[in-house]
Amino acid sequence: MKKLMAANWKMYKTAGEARTTAASLAALTADTLPDDREVVIFPQFTALSPVADALRHAAGYSVGGQDVYPAAEGAYTGEISPGMLMDCGCAWVLTGHSERRHVIGESDELVGAKTAFSINAGLKVVLCIGETIEEREAGRLGEVLKRQLDTGLAGVKGDAVPAAIAVAYEPVWAIGTGKVAGPPEIVEAHALVRQLLVARYGQPGNAIRILYGGSVKPENAREIIALDNVDGVLVGGASLQADSFSRIILA
Ligand code: PGA
């Protein structure tokens, strides 16, 4: 199983800046990307085509949207469809990122609808889940992960997995805070996610990649991706500079 090294550029970078960063990243890693690594860049919408263009000849690289709406087209002002993302060169989309759940107010059900619709339309999905610090301290980790996975995957049929889906475990308290979850916390949560995926899909659940996200840096990436059930990382802040993200990709 290839490790999936994903960069979430959030609402940073103009289209030109994103293209330059993507081109630098490809130049830094093109000859050294190991066979067991796959890279996905999630830029903001106006940078999708330029980044896809910059990475066109970079083997092992693909591009994804940070959000999507579960309809092919229609009167949904401000939204974007899976087909429109694919038209810009996307192979992937993120659903359920904690900033969309907690800042924008997306429900578990909407995340589930986006996930199923995108897969049916031909995109691969990184479904993000994770607990807040209050939920963790109240001993609700298992319950939150189960609820977010159950509703997030409600419409995703067994025959679509594992190729079409990856799950990113991102504890909300570790995102953008510099507070990385410790190895025991990551191993515990990833084992729980693995159990839930196997309970849901049987043996194919073992082949679904589970990524860790939350303050991953060049300094801690190697240790994190070596942990049990960690099949890649989803990186925000430390993915914005080509040099920093290249060191994570090659960690
Ligand atoms: P961070 O963000 O690496 O800046 O903590 C991770 C994410 O939001 O996906």
Side-chain angles (χ1 to χ4, degrees):
M1 186 190 304
K2 291 192 185 207
K3 301 264 189 202
L4 189 58
M5 315 302 280
N8 175 10
W9 287 352
K10 307 192 180 187
M11 199 174 75
Y12 293 103
K13 296 185 186 293
T14 62
E17 289 163 351
R19 174 199 280 274
T20 303
T21 308
S24 309
L25 193 60
L28 284 169
T29 55
D31 299 330
T32 42
L33 188 67
D35 281 346
D36 67 344
R37 299 279 153 103
E38 185 183 342
V39 184
V40 189
I41 311 292
F42 293 94
Q44 51 82 359
F45 292 140
T46 66
L48 288 171
S49 292
V51 168
D53 191 46
L55 296 174
R56 210 177 23 202
H57 301 298
Y61 275 81
S62 45
V63 178
Q66 296 175 14
D67 189 29
V68 67
Y69 193 76
E73 62 179 6
Y76 304 106
T77 302
E79 297 298 325
I80 193 162
S81 72
M84 291 165 187
L85 290 177
M86 290 189 280
D87 184 48
C88 292
C90 290
W92 288 87
V93 67
L94 286 179
T95 59
H97 190 277
S98 78
E99 285 145 21
R100 296 216 57 89
R101 293 179 190 269
H102 297 289
V103 182
I104 315 290
E106 273 184 23
S107 66
D108 292 337
E109 289 69 26
L110 181 56
V111 172
K114 290 180 175 191
T115 304
F117 195 89
S118 296
I119 289 175
N120 288 336
L123 283 169
K124 292 181 275 191
V125 174
V126 177
L127 166 65
C128 305
I129 60 173
E131 82 289 2
T132 63
I133 194 65
E134 293 77 20
E135 289 166 335
R136 170 168 281 270
E137 285 172 353
R140 295 179 50 213
L141 173 68
E143 169 206 322
V144 171
L145 297 184
K146 180 166 176 10
R147 190 196 73 232
Q148 291 180 343
L149 273 182
D150 280 349
T151 41
L153 295 172
V156 181
K157 305 280 182 320
D159 53 4
V161 295
I165 191 120
V167 173
Y169 168 65
E170 299 202 299
V172 179
W173 47 272
I175 295 180
T177 58
K179 262 192 236 167
V180 64
E185 289 157 328
I186 298 175
V187 168
E188 180 198 14
H190 281 232
L192 268 169
V193 173
R194 180 67 70 208
Q195 268 172 27
L196 291 163
L197 291 173
V198 171
R200 186 171 189 90
Y201 294 116
Q203 198 51 31
N206 278 315
I208 297 176
R209 288 179 286 190
I210 307 174
L211 317 186
Y212 170 77
S215 298
V216 175
K217 305 272 180 279
E219 296 71 32
N220 59 24
R222 182 192 282 265
E223 179 186 27
I224 291 171
I225 60 178
L227 296 171
D228 274 357
N229 287 310
V230 176
D231 309 307
V233 285
L234 177 55
V235 187
S239 74
L240 290 169
Q241 306 300 329
D243 173 60
S244 158
F245 191 51
S246 71
R247 287 191 285 141
I248 292 174
I249 292 172
L250 302 175

